[in-house]
Amino acid sequence: MPEDVVPAGTNQSPMSRQWRGLLREYADRLNITEATPIVTLGEGGTPLIAAPALSARTGANVFVKYEGMNPTGSFKDRGMTMAISKAVEHGAKAVICASTGNTSASAAAYAAHAGITSVVLIPAGKISMGKLSQAVAHNAEILQVEGNFDDCLEIARELAAYYPVHLVNSVNPDRIAGQKTAAFEVIEVLGDAPDFHFIPVGNAGNYTAYYRGYSEDLARGASTKLPRMFGFQAEGSAPLVRGEVVKNPETIASAIRIGNPASWNFAIEAHAGSNGYFGAISDANILEAQRILSAEVGIFVEPASAISVAGLLERSAAGEVPKGSKVVLTVTGHGLKDPQWALRRADGTDVSPRLVPIDITEIAGILGLQKVAE
Ligand code: AN7
């Protein structure tokens, strides 16, 4: 029997049957050479999940690309496997990034795996506990800057320009190259590009990356069209919608609390090239969408990710998503990154499960259950 064929049930699944991480899976479509060390934690290959509850609400045919399934729980791992591999190829001993949380978690994990140092600059008090715990766990050098993300990015860029630290924010083109593979995966599953792609926008790196991935697949004949790229920002943090930098961005969706997107010009290009759309969503509607996705579809995401769902519901209600359209929503980060929002009701009170005694009859009564067997 050939080595890679093992009878079902023998519990000896060979490594060749495991997803090998996106650098190996897409080696021919990325700038990877024999000289590139592959720093991987098995990222990519995330599920595209049908969302019947969202299809029923909108009349569209809706699928969710669940990027929370990546090794550190967000889409950032796609760009980071590439950026850290290239950094090591170039001899870097230390990497640096500014982050609203997920980039720092990912950079810290991949740097740890590669055996190099990571430095992360975060806006003081403004990243979720889950993400901070990851950066700490992976032994990053963490500095809280007394400012917002945009201030952090400016400092990171300057440090990387004048000191021996390699920048791994999405202004590094390796990041966007890695992230474009998500569009390849969507097309492999659906057999063509969808009609619409809904996605959260912070720095607009991911919006840019999907557009590039879809464009490359179209150019090589793997698909017949580009999806319309619909990007969403939080109302208090919506520079691309307003057409100007937001000096003091605010939103509960801390991942996208960004006032001056690094990929602004690329995003304008992707918007124009795909007949796209930029919209703003209130924090209340973001949280409502998060609840709908977790309670009706079974997918738990952080608030920033739920903006894709909120965007779909808003555009659908506005009559802008024709019935029967094929729609993909990218949800970028896992709900466990920032679980506090799920534990709060819309009126601001905390959810606290009812306390009961150790009494079967009383519990059955509370649950409204009638006895069906003696
Ligand atoms: C969950 O970690 O910018 O538009 O520093 O964490 O490509 O910036 C995170 C961004 C969406 C926006 N969803 O993506 C960071 C950071 C989640 C995110 C975005 C982020 P981009």
Side-chain angles (χ1 to χ4, degrees), residues 128-328:
S128 76
M129 198 201 291
K131 298 169 192 175
L132 181 60
S133 73
Q134 290 178 288
V136 172
H138 298 304
N139 205 27
E141 178 82 52
I142 305 165
L143 298 176
Q144 297 199 63
V145 176
E146 295 170 323
N148 60 32
F149 169 83
D150 306 294
D151 300 313
C152 294
L153 182 58
E154 207 173 306
I155 296 167
R157 293 174 99 143
E158 291 284 315
L159 283 171
Y162 299 107
Y163 298 86
V165 286
H166 187 95
L167 188 64
V168 294
N169 278 107
S170 57
V171 293
N172 174 338
D174 295 328
R175 281 278 313 280
I176 290 181
Q179 286 173 208
K180 75 184 176 188
T181 58
F184 301 162
E185 292 174 14
V186 168
I187 287 173
E188 279 167 25
V189 174
L190 296 181
D192 200 348
D195 300 306
F196 293 85
H197 193 114
F198 285 74
I199 187 168
V201 172
N203 276 303
N206 214 27
Y207 184 90
T208 301
Y210 273 87
Y211 177 68
R212 291 202 184 155
Y214 282 126
S215 299
E216 283 184 21
D217 259 358
L218 180 64
R220 74 187 185 97
S223 60
T224 64
K225 60 190 172 193
L226 288 177
R228 298 185 65 189
M229 294 294 306
F230 276 35
F232 292 86
Q233 303 195 291
E235 224 163 59
S237 184
L240 284 163
V241 179
R242 295 170 50 171
E244 61 187 14
V245 170
V246 174
K247 284 259 178 313
N248 296 303
E250 275 309 339
T251 168
I252 56 96
S254 58
I256 51 173
R257 189 171 166 274
I258 294 169
N260 187 12
S263 291
W264 191 306
N265 292 335
F266 292 146
I268 298 293
E269 209 176 287
H271 177 275
S274 73
N275 189 19
Y277 178 82
F278 291 132
I281 302 288
S282 69
D283 282 357
N285 286 352
I286 290 173
L287 291 174
E288 172 64 5
Q290 181 191 33
R291 194 198 60 73
I292 290 168
L293 189 65
S294 55
E296 298 181 14
V297 185
I299 299 176
F300 186 29
V301 301
E302 62 173 290
S305 306
I307 205 168
S308 296
V309 178
L312 169 63
L313 297 176
E314 190 269 333
R315 286 291 82 194
S316 174
E320 295 295 325
V321 182
K323 305 283 175 225
S325 301
K326 201 166 272 186
V327 171
V328 172

Side-chain angles (χ1 to χ4, degrees), residues 75-76 99-103 201-206 255-256 258 302 332:
F75 75 100
K76 301 288 183 184
S99 182
T100 57
N102 280 323
T103 299
V201 172
N203 276 303
N206 214 27
I256 51 173
I258 294 169
E302 62 173 290
T332 42

